[in-house]
Structures are given as structure tokens and as C-alpha cells.
């Protein structure tokens, strides 16, 4: 394992070929490599315009979890949410590589009942076919007070869609936002085989400026070929160019990334296909996000 020797701030990066993306969601660990007998990692979590500068809204911690190197879920500690960022700690009481982050899934879309469009997801409306004034979270009607009474109606789950619904346009969604933190020697990072995932070939604890890192991206355990991966260095606040660049995976699902500077980097990839696992859905949209730390040589 390579250890951090110094932290440099690069004067410039290759000019960005992509437009800036607003409001990225991120997890920022205080470090990714730890040693000693009682290490802790502190993690900031936010949604912001400039990466790693909390200037928009705090990321909610409801779904944030941590797993030790044995794959056992452990509690996050000292969690707090402020106006612009959340923060929490994880005690790294076992050697190896820890996984910390969120994994979410759901279904969204539209359908029709007797010619009226409904939506899946969002706030709950009255049962399909109910008279006005019935149903809803407070006994109200989703269309009450809406101009022309044509406001979309909502159900919360696929099970609430009536059997006679037509024109179903449902998309299964899933997303991961995770980081990897190593205490002592790095250990294997295992994939779940579900959805869009990153399977390191180069371990996240061994990323060094000037060296090429290789990450395999998979979909349901199979190589995600031709996947575009967006890479954004932190610290945009202190330079003119955002420095974002994009790499594309090969037929084996492997993305090769050349690090031109040390620091924290945000990686993101999205993918859509027609292989949903949820009954009645016809499409699937997946996303993967991580933050990695690149050391100076």
C-alpha cells in the first residue's frame, strides 16, 4: 500500500470539455488511508455547486450506512445535519477496507386509469377511481384546488396500481453513492452483483498521481461496456477551470483513469437499459457515485 507523503495543489488542469454540472451530491472522508490502534474517519455529506464546498444543502443521513471489512453493517456515530452539510464518524475498529454510503432503489413513472393520468412516486393521492374528497394523506383530493381539475394523481408503490391501469410507463431506478476507507492493509472489495457497481482492479487505497488506475464497472455482475465515467477533481473554488474529464469503459467494463494531480476526485456514471427487475416496469435507470483520494508520488 502506498502511503500519503504530501498534498499538493495543482496550478491548473486540462481545460474542461464538458459543461459544469450543478448540485452534485457527495461524500467526503477526512482521509481514506489510516493506521494506528484507534482510527476514526469523519465524513462530510452535502449537495453543492462546487465539489466538496458545502454551499447548497445538506445531504440527509437517513440511508447512510457503513460496513466493516467483513461485510458486517456497523453504526455511524456523532451524526449531525446543519444547513449546508451533514457530518458523521465511523470508528475503524477492524483492519481492512470499509465501505460507507447509500444504496437506494425505487420505481417512478405514469399510468392511466379510465383515461386519467396518474403518477407513481411522489405524494400519495386518493385511490384510483375514488370520488373527490376521498383518500390522500389528509383525506383530501389530489386534484382539489387545481385549475381544471387535471392535476396528476399519485400512488406510492407499484402494488397500488390497479389491475385495469393502461399506458404504463414505469422506470426502475437505483443509485449508489459510496466511499472506501482503509485501516492498515487494504482488503478485497466485493461487489453485490446487483445494479451498476464499481469493482476495483486498482485498489482505492493505491491511487497515485502519474499512475493509471483501472476500475471495472459492472451491471448485475456483467461488464458495463461503453460506459461513460465522469471524473471531477475537488477544489474548483480555487481555480478557473472545473477540470472535469470523461473516460469510457472498454468491452471488459474497465475504465482507465490517469491522475494528473493529487487530491480528492468525484466519479459518477449513469446507465439506462430495458432490463428492470420490478414487475410492470419497462426500463431501468442506474447511477453510481464515489469519491476517491489520489496521493502525491
Amino acid at each position: 500500500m502506498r502511503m500519503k507523503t504530501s498534498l499538493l495543489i495543482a496550478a491548473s488542469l486540462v481545460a474542461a470539455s464538458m459543461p459544469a454540472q450543478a448540485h452534485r451530491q457527495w461524500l467526503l472522508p477526512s482521509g481514506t488511508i489510516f493506521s494506528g490502534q484507534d482510527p476514526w474517519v469523519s465524513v462530510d455529506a452535502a449537495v453543492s455547486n462546487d465539489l466538496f464546498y458545502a454551499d447548497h444543502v445538506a445531504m440527509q443521513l437517513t440511508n447512510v450506512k457503513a460496513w466493516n471489512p467483513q461485510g458486517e453493517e456497523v453504526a455511524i456515530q456523532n451524526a449531525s445535519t446543519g444547513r449546508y452539510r451533514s457530518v458523521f464518524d465511523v470508528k475503524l475498529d477492524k483492519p481492512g477496507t470499509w465501505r460507507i454510503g447509500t444504496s437506494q432503489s425505487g420505481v417512478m413513472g405514469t399510468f392511466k386509469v379510465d383515461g386519467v393520468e396518474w403518477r407513481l412516486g411522489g405524494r400519495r393521492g386518493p385511490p384510483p377511481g375514488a370520488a373527490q374528497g376521498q383518500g390522500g394523506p389528509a383525506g383530501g383530493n389530489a386534484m382539489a384546488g387545481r385549475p381544471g381539475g387535471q392535476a396528476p394523481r399519485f400512488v406510492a408503490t407499484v402494488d397500488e396500481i390497479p389491475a385495469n391501469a393502461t399506458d404504463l410507463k414505469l422506470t426502475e431506478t437505483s443509485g449508489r453513492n459510496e466511499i472506501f476507507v482503509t485501516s492498515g492493509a487494504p482488503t478485497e472489495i466485493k461487489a453485490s452483483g446487483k445494479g451498476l457497481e464499481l469493482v476495483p482492479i486498482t485498489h482505492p487505497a493505491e491511487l497515485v498521481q502519474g499512475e493509471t488506475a483501472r476500475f471495472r464497472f459492472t451491471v448485475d455482475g456483467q461488464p458495463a461496456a461503453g460506459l461513460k465515467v465522469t471524473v471531477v477533481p475537488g477544489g474548483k473554488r480555487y481555480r478557473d477551470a472545473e477540470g472535469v474529464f470523461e473516460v469510457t469503459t472498454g468491452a471488459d467494463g474497465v475504465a482507465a483513469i490517469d491522475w494528473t494531480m493529487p487530491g480528492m476526485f468525484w466519479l459518477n456514471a449513469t446507465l439506462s437499459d430495458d432490463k428492470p427487475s420490478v414487475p410492470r416496469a419497462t426500463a431501468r435507470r442506474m447511477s453510481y457515485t464515489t469519491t476517491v483520494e489520489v496521493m502525491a508520488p
Side-chain angles (χ1 to χ4, degrees), residues 175-231:
R176 294 176 182 274
N177 188 347
E178 62 187 8
I179 56 176
F180 303 100
V181 176
T182 296
S183 176
T187 52
E188 181 183 5
I189 297 172
K190 297 181 179 179
S192 70
K194 298 179 180 178
L196 181 60
E197 295 182 279
L198 179 151
V199 184
I201 297 175
T202 305
H203 197 284
E206 298 177 337
L207 306 181
V208 181
Q209 176 191 9
E211 298 185 4
T212 300
R214 289 179 170 78
F215 298 141
R216 175 172 286 112
F217 286 84
T218 61
V219 179
D220 299 334
Q222 301 302 311
L227 179 71
K228 293 183 178 179
V229 181
T230 300
V231 184

Side-chain angles (χ1 to χ4, degrees), residues 27 41 55 66 71 76 96 120 133 137 142 151 168-169 268 284:
L27 294 166
V41 60
D55 61 359
I76 64 173
L120 171 64
L168 274 72
K169 298 177 181 177
N268 173 261
R284 179 170 63 163

Side-chain angles (χ1 to χ4, degrees), residues 100-113:
I100 302 169
T102 64
S103 177
Q104 298 177 312
S105 61
V107 184
M108 60 184 298
T110 62
F111 62 92
K112 290 184 178 180
V113 177

Side-chain angles (χ1 to χ4, degrees), residues 241-255:
E242 187 176 37
V244 58
F245 60 96
E246 198 173 74
V247 298
T248 303
T249 62
D252 55 1
V254 175

Side-chain angles (χ1 to χ4, degrees), residues 8 22 29 54 73 157 172 184-185 197 228 278:
L8 304 176
E73 184 177 336
T157 68
E172 178 182 359
E197 295 182 279
K228 293 183 178 179
V278 176

Side-chain angles (χ1 to χ4, degrees), residues 49 77 92-93 99 107-108 118 156-157 189 215 223 231 233 236 245 290-291 295:
N49 292 295
Q77 301 187 47
L92 308 176
D93 56 5
R99 183 194 299 265
V107 184
M108 60 184 298
W118 283 70
T157 68
I189 297 172
F215 298 141
V231 184
K236 162 62 175 63
F245 60 96
T290 188
T291 300
M295 302 300 179

Side-chain angles (χ1 to χ4, degrees), residues 1 12 36 42 57 62-63 68 98 108 112 134 146 155 157 172 188 197 215 225 229 241 263 282:
M1 179 184 63
S12 63
S42 185
V57 66
T62 306
N63 297 315
N68 65 24
W98 294 59
M108 60 184 298
K112 290 184 178 180
Q134 296 179 340
R146 301 281 186 173
V155 296
T157 68
E172 178 182 359
E188 181 183 5
E197 295 182 279
F215 298 141
V229 181
T282 57

